[in-house]
Amino acid sequence: MPVEYPLVKAIKRNRRKIKHRFHVPASAVTGYNFELTELPGLDVLSCPGEAIKEAQQYAAGYFGSCEAYFLVNGSTAGITAAILSVCARGEKVLLPRNIHGSVVAGLIFSGAEPVFVPVKNSNHAGIPLNVSPGELESILKKEECRMVLVTNPSYLGISGDLTALSSIVVGRETVLMVDEAHGGHFCLSPVFPRGASEEGADLWVNSAHKTLGALTPGALLHVNSSKINSNRLQFYLGLLQTSSPSYPVMASLDLVRKKWNNEWERVRELAERARERINRETGFSCLKEEDLGKGFQMDPLRLTIITSKVTLDGYQVAHKLREEMGIEVELAGLNYILVIFQPGLKKRAVEALLKALRLISRRYHTGKEALVPEESPPVPSLGMLPSDAVKVPWEEAELKKAAGKIAANVVSVFPPGIPDLIPGEVISPGIIDRLIENISRGASCTGIKEGSMVNVVKS
């Protein structure tokens, strides 16, 4: 039976039928084939009943959910809408620190209160792991939380024990939301860790543009639980998403079910061979799953390359790869760089990476391991709800003199963009020291003006 792509089919039908166009967008007239708008036969994203609805139903079946929603404003829109549809003002959300900025938006718009679960670093290069079931259960015994939200996998591709996490939440009124932005491929092959669809999540998002080949910022929001009021969820999606959705983006979401079906095993093998060769042929080493400890798994398509045996830190290695060798990596930290293997990646690209790492290793090899201490930032105390902190009067304060003041906006080191401060949190001396150190290393810090000024709640 042939696979159906109803939205793509509807767009092509419209293109064949309509000869002369007197409507927006202008690009539909100038020749971009899929650049159309919500015309008769092409459905309406905010209340779909035809081609978009059918395409979403196919997506739900393919990815293992009861309902799927196309997101044209990225996983950001899906996460924010999910929090708004579930949480009321003052209700608590249990979450780790490695959250996306959209989670903070959801907390601000809903008035929910964050309760943070600590995430430990591995003993290997100080790599942050993920939420452990023991930590989660311990907090849920003390706190009544409306939602548990986990980032799984993490940006570095590290997955926690979703089976155990789900079993802790099951039977409660608590909703389990998984930010699976970087793990949309998990449910598509047994070579990957088990995904949210297989482990009992109530809600999850997949950034299809990150790992599934959709156009940026195409993503999917999935529902798999009677705990979720779908009408309420759709209402918030309608508020948060653009009223002029991109049809090329939606068409690409329709097509992700076709795009890489035969590629996953090939690219996994390519990544595994690269991992072995980096360990064998260069002065670098790749993080291995056994380095993580019990209860954690690793996305085999993400290679965390440890830089501890060269005199350069991860930021400097990434800079040399980009500026001198034309190789762009996904992420850099003090002790590592992260590279992602995507479907369609060619062997010649891998060979270029290996050659570059060998060259850097020869130039800067130390012969001994020298890790830069890198600990998880301390979790600040909450001085007021995030939703209140953004509404009261603000003032600017010099960062090094801001201890004891309440942050008014998000402050984070990018990449990866994990918040060091969110609105309402008390700025501690430890946080200040960490931010100043990162700025001195050349890291980009959002929420800090000209490297020294931060917005705080007015005294």
Side-chain angles (χ1 to χ4, degrees), residues 102-393:
S102 58
V103 177
V104 181
L107 295 172
I108 290 170
F109 296 152
S110 67
E113 178 181 344
V115 177
F116 287 102
V117 56
V119 172
K120 294 179 180 178
N121 285 2
S122 76
N123 295 326
H124 199 84
I127 302 294
L129 297 170
N130 216 314
V131 175
S132 74
E135 295 277 11
L136 182 80
E137 188 167 32
S138 174
I139 294 175
L140 283 177
K141 285 178 179 178
K142 297 178 285 188
E143 301 277 5
E144 185 175 332
C145 296
R146 182 71 181 99
M147 175 182 278
V148 169
L149 191 153
V150 295
T151 305
N152 201 81
S154 69
Y155 199 168
L156 293 173
I158 298 173
S159 291
D161 188 346
L162 266 186
T163 304
L165 297 177
S166 178
S167 68
I168 294 166
V169 175
V170 166
R172 305 172 186 262
E173 289 300 310
T174 306
V175 169
L176 177 59
M177 168 89 190
V178 180
D179 178 356
E180 199 180 56
H182 289 273
H185 54 299
F186 277 13
C187 68
L188 302 182
S189 172
V191 305
F192 303 126
R194 286 166 64 86
S197 65
E198 303 164 285
E199 300 291 10
D202 299 304
L203 286 160
W204 67 95
V205 290
N206 296 138
S207 288
H209 67 97
K210 284 184 168 72
T211 62
L212 299 174
L215 296 176
T216 301
L220 296 155
L221 171 63
H222 295 281
V223 178
N224 220 25
S225 172
S226 59
K227 294 179 182 178
I228 308 305
N229 185 321
S230 295
N231 291 331
R232 186 178 176 88
L233 181 61
Q234 278 191 278
F235 167 74
Y236 282 114
L237 283 173
L239 289 183
L240 292 167
Q241 299 217 87
T242 176
S243 59
S244 301
S246 166
Y247 271 76
V249 170
M250 290 193 290
S252 74
L253 289 170
D254 198 14
L255 287 170
V256 294
R257 293 178 287 113
K258 169 185 179 181
K259 200 169 182 68
W260 304 120
N261 280 349
N262 302 317
E263 269 284 287
W264 297 115
E265 181 58 30
R266 184 198 72 84
V267 73
R268 185 198 68 84
E269 290 178 359
L270 192 64
E272 287 303 316
R273 286 197 296 271
R275 191 188 307 273
E276 293 168 5
R277 290 182 63 188
I278 289 169
N279 289 335
R280 187 176 68 248
E281 299 175 12
T282 77
F284 296 89
S285 62
C286 279
L287 188 70
K288 303 184 293 296
E289 192 161 286
E290 49 264 38
D291 297 326
L292 305 179
K294 186 178 179 181
F296 298 101
Q297 291 180 281
M298 191 163 60
D299 180 355
L301 303 188
R302 297 197 173 212
L303 274 59
T304 301
I305 302 171
I306 310 301
T307 60
S308 58
K309 291 184 180 179
V310 295
T311 57
L312 307 176
D313 64 25
Y315 299 111
Q316 293 167 325
V317 172
H319 180 80
K320 286 199 169 292
L321 286 171
R322 179 175 59 254
E323 299 301 327
E324 297 179 18
M325 298 153 188
I327 295 172
E328 191 75 78
V329 302
E330 175 66 22
L331 172 68
L334 283 176
N335 297 313
Y336 59 86
I337 58 172
L338 175 69
V339 298
I340 302 177
F341 280 54
Q342 303 277 25
L345 186 71
K346 304 299 182 186
K347 288 182 180 179
R348 65 176 179 271
V350 180
E351 292 299 331
L353 175 65
L354 287 162
K355 181 180 178 180
L357 293 175
R358 285 194 296 266
L359 180 60
I360 292 172
S361 179
R362 283 198 298 270
R363 287 181 185 172
Y364 302 99
H365 188 59
T366 63
K368 59 182 180 179
E369 197 160 29
L371 289 172
V372 180
E374 187 171 13
E375 298 179 358
S376 296
V379 176
S381 60
L382 196 66
M384 63 174 63
L385 288 176
S387 57
D388 293 338
V390 300
K391 294 174 184 173
V392 297

